[in-house]
Amino acid sequence: MDGQKLKQEINARIENCTVKELKHIQHMIHTMKSPERGGLHYLGSFLGINLTEIDRISMDLGMQNANKYGVAQGGAVYTLADVALGYKIISDVGDESKVLTIELKVNYMKQGKGRKLYAEPIILHRGKVRLLDNV
C-alpha cells in the first residue's frame, strides 16, 4: 500500500472514532514524532516514562498504561522497573557496554494510581559480568 492510500484509509477510520479513541491516536502520534524522547525507546515513551534523573525515573499515569480498573497495568509497572534499572546500570558501567535484562521479578505491593509512579533503582552488587539491583 502506498503512502497516499494508507493516509486515506487512516482518515476514513478516524472519522468514526470516539473522543477517547482520538486521544489514544494523538498520544501515539506525539510519541512517534516527539524529538524529546531523550534516547528512550518507543515503548517507554509511549507508556509515559520520563528519564529526568538516573536515580529517580517516573511514569505519567493515564490511558496509555491503565488496566480495565483504571490503575497502572502490571506490564507497564514492570517496564518502568526494567527501564529504571537499565539506565542506572548504563550510568554505572558506561554506554560502551551492552546492558540486557537477564531476570526481573516484580512483587506488586499496591495499586499504581495517582498522576505518576516513580522508580528509584539501586545497585546492590556489582560482579564482573552481572549486577544485582533493586527498585
Side-chain angles (χ1 to χ4, degrees), residues 14 19 25 27-28 31-32 34 41 52 59 68 71 83 85 90-92 95 98 117-118 128:
I14 284 175
V19 172
I25 293 166
H27 177 74
M28 289 187 323
T31 299
M32 287 186 291
S34 180
H41 50 73
T52 53
M59 181 171 65
K68 69 179 186 175
V71 298
V83 167
L85 291 170
I90 289 169
S91 75
D92 189 62
D95 280 334
K98 288 186 178 180
L117 288 183
Y118 295 92
K128 288 183 181 180

Short mmCIF file of all heavy atoms in Angstrom, two decimals, residues 14 19 25 27-28 31-32 34 41 52 59 68 71 83 85 90-92 95 98 117-118 128:
data_model
loop_
_atom_site.label_atom_id
_atom_site.label_comp_id
_atom_site.label_asym_id
_atom_site.label_seq_id
_atom_site.Cartn_x
_atom_site.Cartn_y
_atom_site.Cartn_z
N ILE A 14 -10.57 7.27 11.17
CA ILE A 14 -10.60 8.31 12.20
C ILE A 14 -11.98 8.96 12.28
O ILE A 14 -12.43 9.35 13.35
CB ILE A 14 -9.49 9.35 11.95
CG1 ILE A 14 -8.14 8.77 12.37
CG2 ILE A 14 -9.75 10.65 12.70
CD1 ILE A 14 -6.95 9.65 12.07
N VAL A 19 -14.02 10.33 21.09
CA VAL A 19 -13.03 11.27 21.62
C VAL A 19 -11.93 10.50 22.35
O VAL A 19 -10.74 10.81 22.21
CB VAL A 19 -13.70 12.30 22.55
CG1 VAL A 19 -12.66 13.16 23.27
CG2 VAL A 19 -14.65 13.19 21.76
N ILE A 25 -4.96 8.02 19.73
CA ILE A 25 -4.26 8.25 18.47
C ILE A 25 -3.33 9.45 18.60
O ILE A 25 -2.17 9.40 18.16
CB ILE A 25 -5.27 8.44 17.31
CG1 ILE A 25 -6.02 7.13 17.05
CG2 ILE A 25 -4.56 8.93 16.04
CD1 ILE A 25 -7.24 7.28 16.18
N HIS A 27 -1.93 10.58 21.30
CA HIS A 27 -0.81 10.18 22.14
C HIS A 27 0.22 9.37 21.34
O HIS A 27 1.43 9.59 21.46
CB HIS A 27 -1.31 9.37 23.34
CG HIS A 27 -0.22 8.87 24.22
ND1 HIS A 27 0.48 9.70 25.08
CD2 HIS A 27 0.33 7.64 24.35
CE1 HIS A 27 1.40 9.00 25.70
NE2 HIS A 27 1.33 7.74 25.28
N MET A 28 -0.25 8.44 20.50
CA MET A 28 0.67 7.63 19.69
C MET A 28 1.45 8.49 18.71
O MET A 28 2.66 8.34 18.56
CB MET A 28 -0.09 6.53 18.94
CG MET A 28 -0.60 5.45 19.85
SD MET A 28 -1.35 4.00 19.03
CE MET A 28 -2.19 4.65 17.64
N THR A 31 4.05 10.50 20.54
CA THR A 31 5.17 9.64 20.93
C THR A 31 6.10 9.38 19.75
O THR A 31 7.32 9.45 19.88
CB THR A 31 4.65 8.30 21.48
OG1 THR A 31 3.85 8.56 22.64
CG2 THR A 31 5.79 7.38 21.88
N MET A 32 5.54 9.10 18.59
CA MET A 32 6.37 8.81 17.41
C MET A 32 7.13 10.03 16.93
O MET A 32 8.26 9.94 16.48
CB MET A 32 5.50 8.27 16.27
CG MET A 32 5.02 6.87 16.48
SD MET A 32 4.15 6.20 15.05
CE MET A 32 2.65 7.18 15.06
N SER A 34 7.84 12.88 18.69
CA SER A 34 8.44 13.69 19.74
C SER A 34 9.97 13.64 19.68
O SER A 34 10.57 12.59 19.85
CB SER A 34 7.97 13.21 21.11
OG SER A 34 8.55 13.99 22.12
N HIS A 41 13.46 4.33 24.20
CA HIS A 41 12.82 3.58 23.13
C HIS A 41 11.33 3.92 23.04
O HIS A 41 10.74 4.50 23.97
CB HIS A 41 13.02 2.07 23.32
CG HIS A 41 12.68 1.60 24.69
ND1 HIS A 41 11.39 1.49 25.16
CD2 HIS A 41 13.48 1.23 25.72
CE1 HIS A 41 11.40 1.06 26.39
NE2 HIS A 41 12.65 0.90 26.77
N THR A 52 14.29 11.82 33.58
CA THR A 52 14.76 13.13 34.05
C THR A 52 15.94 13.00 35.00
O THR A 52 16.81 13.86 35.03
CB THR A 52 13.62 13.91 34.72
OG1 THR A 52 13.04 13.10 35.74
CG2 THR A 52 12.56 14.29 33.70
N MET A 59 6.90 7.66 35.60
CA MET A 59 5.98 7.29 34.53
C MET A 59 4.67 8.02 34.78
O MET A 59 4.05 7.89 35.84
CB MET A 59 5.74 5.78 34.51
CG MET A 59 4.81 5.33 33.39
SD MET A 59 4.71 3.53 33.17
CE MET A 59 3.96 3.02 34.71
N LYS A 68 -8.07 -2.28 32.97
CA LYS A 68 -9.52 -2.06 32.90
C LYS A 68 -10.11 -1.51 34.20
O LYS A 68 -11.24 -1.06 34.22
CB LYS A 68 -10.25 -3.33 32.47
CG LYS A 68 -10.25 -4.45 33.47
CD LYS A 68 -11.03 -5.63 32.91
CE LYS A 68 -11.19 -6.72 33.94
NZ LYS A 68 -12.03 -7.81 33.43
N VAL A 71 -6.14 1.54 36.99
CA VAL A 71 -4.86 1.68 37.69
C VAL A 71 -3.75 1.20 36.75
O VAL A 71 -4.02 0.60 35.71
CB VAL A 71 -4.82 0.90 39.03
CG1 VAL A 71 -5.87 1.45 39.99
CG2 VAL A 71 -5.03 -0.58 38.81
N VAL A 83 13.29 -0.30 32.78
CA VAL A 83 13.95 0.89 32.22
C VAL A 83 14.78 1.59 33.29
O VAL A 83 15.93 1.97 33.04
CB VAL A 83 12.90 1.85 31.61
CG1 VAL A 83 13.50 3.21 31.30
CG2 VAL A 83 12.27 1.25 30.36
N LEU A 85 16.17 0.34 36.01
CA LEU A 85 17.36 -0.46 36.30
C LEU A 85 18.37 -0.37 35.16
O LEU A 85 19.57 -0.21 35.39
CB LEU A 85 16.98 -1.92 36.56
CG LEU A 85 16.20 -2.18 37.84
CD1 LEU A 85 15.67 -3.61 37.85
CD2 LEU A 85 17.05 -1.92 39.05
N ILE A 90 23.56 1.46 33.03
CA ILE A 90 24.31 2.14 31.97
C ILE A 90 25.09 3.32 32.53
O ILE A 90 26.24 3.55 32.16
CB ILE A 90 23.36 2.58 30.83
CG1 ILE A 90 22.86 1.36 30.05
CG2 ILE A 90 24.06 3.57 29.89
CD1 ILE A 90 21.74 1.65 29.08
N SER A 91 24.47 4.05 33.46
CA SER A 91 25.18 5.19 34.05
C SER A 91 26.37 4.73 34.89
O SER A 91 27.35 5.46 35.05
CB SER A 91 24.24 6.04 34.91
OG SER A 91 23.95 5.41 36.14
N ASP A 92 26.31 3.50 35.39
CA ASP A 92 27.39 2.95 36.21
C ASP A 92 28.51 2.34 35.37
O ASP A 92 29.68 2.54 35.66
CB ASP A 92 26.82 1.91 37.17
CG ASP A 92 27.84 1.45 38.20
OD1 ASP A 92 28.30 2.30 38.98
OD2 ASP A 92 28.18 0.25 38.20
N ASP A 95 28.19 3.78 28.43
CA ASP A 95 27.44 3.50 27.21
C ASP A 95 28.09 2.46 26.31
O ASP A 95 27.43 1.87 25.46
CB ASP A 95 27.24 4.78 26.40
CG ASP A 95 26.12 5.64 26.94
OD1 ASP A 95 25.21 5.08 27.57
OD2 ASP A 95 26.15 6.86 26.71
N LYS A 98 26.96 -3.21 26.56
CA LYS A 98 25.56 -3.55 26.29
C LYS A 98 24.94 -4.01 27.60
O LYS A 98 25.50 -4.82 28.32
CB LYS A 98 25.47 -4.65 25.26
CG LYS A 98 25.81 -4.19 23.87
CD LYS A 98 25.55 -5.28 22.87
CE LYS A 98 25.86 -4.76 21.48
NZ LYS A 98 25.62 -5.78 20.46
N LEU A 117 4.04 7.40 38.72
CA LEU A 117 4.73 6.39 39.51
C LEU A 117 6.22 6.69 39.41
O LEU A 117 6.69 7.17 38.38
CB LEU A 117 4.47 4.99 38.98
CG LEU A 117 3.10 4.39 39.19
CD1 LEU A 117 3.08 2.96 38.65
CD2 LEU A 117 2.71 4.39 40.64
N TYR A 118 6.95 6.39 40.46
CA TYR A 118 8.40 6.63 40.47
C TYR A 118 9.14 5.33 40.73
O TYR A 118 8.69 4.51 41.53
CB TYR A 118 8.76 7.65 41.56
CG TYR A 118 8.19 9.01 41.30
CD1 TYR A 118 6.95 9.38 41.81
CD2 TYR A 118 8.88 9.93 40.51
CE1 TYR A 118 6.42 10.63 41.55
CE2 TYR A 118 8.35 11.18 40.26
CZ TYR A 118 7.13 11.52 40.78
OH TYR A 118 6.60 12.77 40.52
N LYS A 128 31.67 -9.18 37.97
CA LYS A 128 32.41 -8.97 36.72
C LYS A 128 31.47 -8.91 35.51
O LYS A 128 31.72 -8.18 34.57
CB LYS A 128 33.42 -10.09 36.52
CG LYS A 128 34.60 -10.02 37.46
CD LYS A 128 35.57 -11.14 37.14
CE LYS A 128 36.75 -11.07 38.10
NZ LYS A 128 37.72 -12.15 37.83
#
